[in-house]
């Protein structure tokens, strides 16, 4: 059973940086992609960034480019999201997800709350 456990969320001030982690377990992830999504209060979940597990190719939401970096450590089965210059509108629950490359995301974590105060 695939499990994804996010960590690293918290309360920060505008302009701060934050690192989120997602520890994955339950299978091998060759030819899978992992991604971060976020859901702001009262809004739909939106894609933030993704990375392919095997090749490390990255892709980002246009709105987040330049402020976030996604990376992975295959030895630890962990994906990271580094965010900088945080804004109050970045507040939300951040979710980690995984699925076969190009076929959507089948598994989701429980999410970690990020709150950015002004």
């Amino acid at each position: 059973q695939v499990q994804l456990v996010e960590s690293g969320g918290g309360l920060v001030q505008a302009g701060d940086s934050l690192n989120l982690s997602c520890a994955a377990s339950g299978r091998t992830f060759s030819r899978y992609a992992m991604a971060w999504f976020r859901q702001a209060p009262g809004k739909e979940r939106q894609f933030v960034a993704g990375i392919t597990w095997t090749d490390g190719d990255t892709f980002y939401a246009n709105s987040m480019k330049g402020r976030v970096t996604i990376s992975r450590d295959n030895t630890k089965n962990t994906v990271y999201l580094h965010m900088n210059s945080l804004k109050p509108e970045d507040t939300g629950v951040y979710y980690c997800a995984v699925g076969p490359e190009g076929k959507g995301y089948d598994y989701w974590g429980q999410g970690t709350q990020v709150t950015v105060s002004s």
Side-chain angles (χ1 to χ4, degrees):
Q1 173 118 9
V2 173
Q3 285 192 320
L4 303 174
V5 179
E6 302 98 334
S7 61
L11 173 63
V12 297
Q13 293 187 332
D16 285 352
S17 298
L18 198 63
N19 294 304
L20 305 181
S21 300
C22 173
S25 62
R27 64 158 296 135
T28 57
F29 295 102
S30 175
R31 311 318 308 182
Y32 270 59
M34 300 187 78
W36 287 94
F37 289 74
R38 73 178 181 191
Q39 187 164 19
K43 296 187 177 180
E44 293 186 355
R45 194 174 298 185
Q46 66 174 156
F47 172 79
V48 176
I51 187 167
T52 59
W53 196 256
T54 301
D55 298 326
D57 296 329
T58 58
F59 34 105
Y60 297 93
N62 286 336
S63 61
M64 303 300 292
K65 280 181 180 178
R67 292 201 301 121
V68 300
T69 303
I70 189 170
S71 60
R72 88 236 189 274
D73 184 336
N74 290 15
T75 65
K76 297 181 179 179
N77 267 14
T78 301
V79 174
Y80 305 96
L81 184 71
H82 174 71
M83 303 185 288
N84 58 49
S85 302
L86 284 164
K87 306 173 184 179
E89 49 264 44
D90 293 319
T91 293
V93 179
Y94 284 70
Y95 297 92
C96 177
V98 65
E101 286 183 28
K103 297 185 178 180
Y105 300 96
D106 300 324
Y107 302 98
W108 295 80
Q110 293 299 307
T112 185
Q113 175 71 43
V114 172
T115 304
V116 184
S117 65
S118 58

